[in-house]
């Protein structure tokens, strides 16, 4: 495999613009600046070549080619105007894969842009997501009313971006164990593979610390060295997951599609980014408190 730097010299913003004009793209140096701001490109490198000044900042060969490839991909899209945010997962996917193109400073900005747009969906999309969650957890005996309450809490949490996790956990527990009575031990149902079942309380805990991670990334409060440590852990865990994935897929029954290999680059990027966010939550020590709160909620239902 050839390097991304092969036959691509470093260049200024004007050089990057000139490259893509051969594709028929109408861009300006301002476009390059916008790409840097959202993490689609890394900041250009400073060059000190004179005693009293400096030359224009320059983009490394890898970044020059990256701008070309991103622009070419946008031109291939059937969508007339492709928002910058839709390309962010591809940048993060590349960063998760190797260190040769995307530096940590660029990944940090890309994660900020990703986090700022996370959860922004249309009402139909939110409703479909809520229905899928309910279908995964609901016992056949769960009533229409119980399902409707759970769906409403999920929709409200997504639309407000301030979910009431206690209420969501209670509602999901009700549809998973619809026959329970206060003070009577409930039958805790898990979903997913037999070797790694997940309960409603555990899922809510994951949602909770994922939201906290997203908020931290949106404010850029996570240092680069922490992102680097989480990335190294993620790569190790990701390989371990790939080794166990076929077994879990075979055990998951109706949920086998969760463990299927992605069929396109968009799905692959989404899986990889979500996997990194989960690991980052553990690196930031946000996962343990969330699961502790989940255990307290579960115990409270037995009182």
């Amino acid at each position: 495999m050839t390097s991304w730097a092969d036959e691509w010299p470093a260049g200024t913003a004007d050089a990057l613009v000139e490259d893509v004009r051969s594709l028929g793209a109408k861009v300006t140096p301002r476009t390059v600046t916008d790409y840097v701001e959202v993490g689609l490109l890394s900041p250009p490198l400073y060059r000190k070549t004179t005693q009293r000044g400096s030359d224009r900042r320059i983009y490394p060969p890898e970044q020059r080619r990256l701008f070309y490839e991103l622009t070419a991909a946008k031109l291939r899209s059937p969508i007339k105007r492709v928002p910058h945010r839709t390309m962010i997962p591809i940048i993060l996917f590349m960063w998760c894969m190797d260190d040769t193109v995307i530096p940590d400073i660029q990944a940090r900005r890309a994660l900020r842009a990703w986090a700022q747009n996370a959860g922004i969906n249309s009402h139909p999309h939110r409703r479909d997501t809520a229905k899928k969650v309910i279908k995964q957890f609901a016992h056949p005996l769960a009533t229409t009313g119980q399902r409707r309450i759970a769906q409403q809490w999920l929709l409200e949490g997504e639309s407000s971006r301030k979910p009431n996790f206690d209420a969501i956990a209670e509602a999901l527990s009700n549809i998973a164990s619809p026959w329970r009575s206060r003070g009577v031990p409930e039958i805790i149902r898990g979903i997913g593979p037999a070797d790694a079942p997940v309960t409603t309380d555990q899922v809510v805990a994951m949602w909770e610390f994922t939201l906290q991670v997203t908020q931290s990334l949106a404010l850029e409060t996570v240092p680069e060295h922490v992102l680097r440590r989480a990335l190294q852990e993620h790569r190790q865990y990701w390989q371990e997951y790939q080794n166990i994935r076929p077994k879990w897929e075979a055990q998951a029954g109706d949920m086998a599609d969760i463990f299927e290999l992605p069929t396109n680059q968009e799905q692959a990027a989404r899986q990889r980014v979500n996997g990194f966010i989960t690991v980052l939550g553990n690196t930031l020590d946000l996962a343990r408190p969330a699961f502790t709160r989940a255990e307290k909620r579960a115990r409270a239902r037995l009182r």
Side-chain angles (χ1 to χ4, degrees):
M1 181 177 178
T2 59
S3 169
W4 267 57
D6 288 351
E7 300 180 5
W8 286 82
T12 63
D14 288 337
L16 270 62
V17 169
E18 193 62 31
D19 289 340
V20 300
R21 282 180 178 166
S22 64
L23 298 172
K26 297 179 180 180
V27 300
T28 67
R30 176 63 193 180
T31 306
V32 179
T33 302
D34 291 342
Y35 272 37
V36 172
E37 178 61 26
V38 299
L40 291 175
L41 287 177
S42 180
L45 303 178
Y46 176 80
R47 290 190 299 165
K48 178 69 174 177
T49 57
T50 63
Q51 185 175 1
R52 295 187 177 182
S54 61
D55 286 346
R56 295 186 61 187
R57 298 190 176 220
I58 196 168
Y59 292 86
E62 297 85 0
Q63 293 288 312
R64 183 172 181 174
R65 180 179 175 184
L66 177 61
F67 183 71
Y68 181 91
E69 298 291 352
L70 289 174
T71 304
K74 290 182 69 173
L75 293 175
R76 290 194 300 268
S77 173
I79 303 175
K80 187 174 182 180
R81 298 190 65 179
V82 180
H84 291 344
R85 61 182 174 82
T86 61
M87 297 188 291
I88 294 296
I90 300 300
I91 297 298
L92 296 175
F93 176 77
M94 294 174 65
W95 179 64
C96 287
M97 291 288 289
D98 63 64
D99 303 304
T100 60
V101 179
I102 312 298
D104 293 346
I105 186 174
Q106 179 183 353
R108 189 171 185 237
R109 290 188 178 185
L111 285 165
R112 179 196 63 191
W114 173 86
Q116 289 172 343
N117 290 281
I120 300 179
N121 295 306
S122 64
H123 180 72
H125 185 277
R126 292 195 296 267
R127 186 175 61 246
D128 289 344
T129 300
K131 287 182 178 180
K132 289 179 181 178
V133 171
I134 292 170
K135 182 179 179 181
Q136 288 174 344
F137 282 105
H139 188 276
L141 294 179
T143 66
T144 301
Q146 289 172 322
R147 295 168 189 259
R148 187 178 295 117
I149 291 173
Q151 179 174 323
Q152 186 58 40
W153 279 117
L154 291 170
L155 286 173
E156 185 174 316
E158 275 213 43
S159 60
S160 67
R161 304 185 78 175
K162 295 180 180 179
N164 184 330
F165 290 112
D166 289 337
I168 292 174
E170 178 75 11
L172 290 182
S173 176
N174 285 339
I175 64 173
S177 185
W179 53 80
R180 69 182 178 85
S181 300
R182 183 66 63 179
V184 178
E186 60 181 324
I187 298 177
I188 301 177
R189 298 175 60 241
I191 63 173
D195 288 351
V198 180
T199 67
T200 55
D201 289 302
Q202 291 171 334
V203 167
V204 173
M206 292 177 65
W207 291 343
E208 184 175 354
F209 78 73
T210 297
L211 177 60
Q212 293 174 318
V213 172
T214 302
Q215 291 171 339
S216 297
L217 291 173
L219 297 174
E220 283 193 283
T221 58
V222 183
E224 287 180 28
H225 73 273
V226 175
L227 294 177
R228 168 56 49 177
R229 187 167 78 249
L231 177 62
Q232 293 170 345
E233 294 174 358
H234 163 69
R235 288 174 177 170
Q236 176 184 344
Y237 293 147
W238 188 258
Q239 185 56 54
E240 293 173 358
Y241 168 70
Q242 296 306 315
N243 294 336
I244 198 67
R245 184 197 58 76
K247 182 179 180 181
W248 284 2
E249 182 181 357
Q251 294 179 353
D254 294 339
M255 294 185 61
D257 59 306
I258 294 178
F259 302 99
E260 290 178 351
L261 289 173
T263 57
N264 56 55
Q265 192 173 36
E266 182 181 355
Q267 291 179 359
R270 190 184 308 116
Q271 280 190 11
R272 201 67 191 258
V273 173
N274 289 339
F276 171 76
I277 296 301
T278 300
V279 173
L280 180 57
N282 190 58
T283 304
L284 294 173
D285 200 25
L286 296 173
R288 187 183 300 275
F291 281 103
T292 298
R293 287 189 290 273
E295 292 174 1
K296 290 181 179 179
R297 283 193 293 260
R299 288 196 298 269
R301 289 199 295 269
L302 301 179
R303 296 174 185 171

